[in-house]
Amino acid sequence: MEPTCNGAILKAMKLAVASDHAGVALKARVMEQLRQEGHEAADLGTYTTDAVDYPDYAKKVALAVLAGQAERGVLICGSGAGACVAANKIKGIRAATCHDSFSARQCVEDDDVNVLCLGARVIGEELALDVVRDYVGARFSGAERHQRRLAKVAAFEAEFGQ
């Protein structure tokens, strides 16, 4: 099946997906949807509801993206905030917590976000699936103003060791 977003056919994407214990159920649904839509989605854990630490899974997804094993990542924790903070500590990762479709599209189109974070205790399943679909379907605009702003973010990483 060809991946689609709002009816448009998209290039299939390789994604790295992980969650902590709070996001296991939502991660399963996200994985199912991504695969049904023709994407290659690697499940990097966790696989049970036994308590784990979200930074460990943020690191797995971030490193998969940076290594080129995935074009983008999806992280799910209880709020979406912790996983986002952890992922953003890794140089080259631009993570955003999104709980609406506009933000999911715009964070890629304007900010070239490469890791989407979701809060399993914040967002409903159907909305989460829409948000993931919109995130995966979005493409960086490459507009000069966005490239200029991302260069400033990269300069922060270099200057402050992030």
Side-chain angles (χ1 to χ4, degrees):
M1 176 179 212
E2 301 255 8
T4 63
C5 181
N6 296 329
I9 295 176
L10 303 173
K11 170 184 134 334
M13 187 175 285
K14 288 177 70 172
L15 297 129
V17 183
S19 71
D20 70 1
H21 54 283
V24 170
L26 182 57
K27 179 180 57 119
R29 283 292 293 124
V30 166
M31 293 291 297
E32 179 184 345
Q33 173 179 289
L34 289 170
R35 289 175 177 157
Q36 284 176 351
E37 292 177 354
H39 301 290
E40 184 180 329
D43 185 342
L44 303 183
T46 192
Y47 308 106
T48 72
T49 56
D50 296 340
V52 296
D53 298 330
Y54 61 81
D56 299 332
Y57 297 91
K59 181 179 178 183
K60 286 181 179 196
V61 166
L63 294 180
V65 170
L66 293 176
Q69 297 166 346
E71 296 164 76
R72 292 193 201 150
V74 177
L75 282 169
I76 306 168
C77 68
S79 69
C84 187
V85 169
N88 276 314
K89 295 298 180 186
I90 299 172
K91 185 176 182 177
I93 294 300
R94 291 171 308 284
T97 301
C98 298
H99 293 127
D100 65 90
S101 290
F102 174 80
S103 298
R105 281 190 310 274
Q106 187 177 23
C107 74
V108 174
E109 292 170 353
D110 293 2
D111 305 311
D112 202 17
V113 162
N114 52 15
V115 176
L116 172 69
C117 301
L118 298 169
R121 295 177 178 145
V122 177
I123 191 169
E125 183 179 294
E126 291 306 314
L127 179 55
L129 297 175
D130 287 344
V131 167
V132 169
R133 187 177 298 114
D134 288 330
Y135 165 74
V136 171
R139 299 293 177 262
F140 179 56
S141 72
E144 185 280 328
R145 69 184 184 279
H146 300 308
Q147 291 180 10
R148 182 182 68 245
R149 293 167 186 160
L150 286 173
K152 289 180 179 186
V153 171
F156 289 172
E157 284 183 332
E159 181 179 355
F160 300 108
Q162 288 285 322

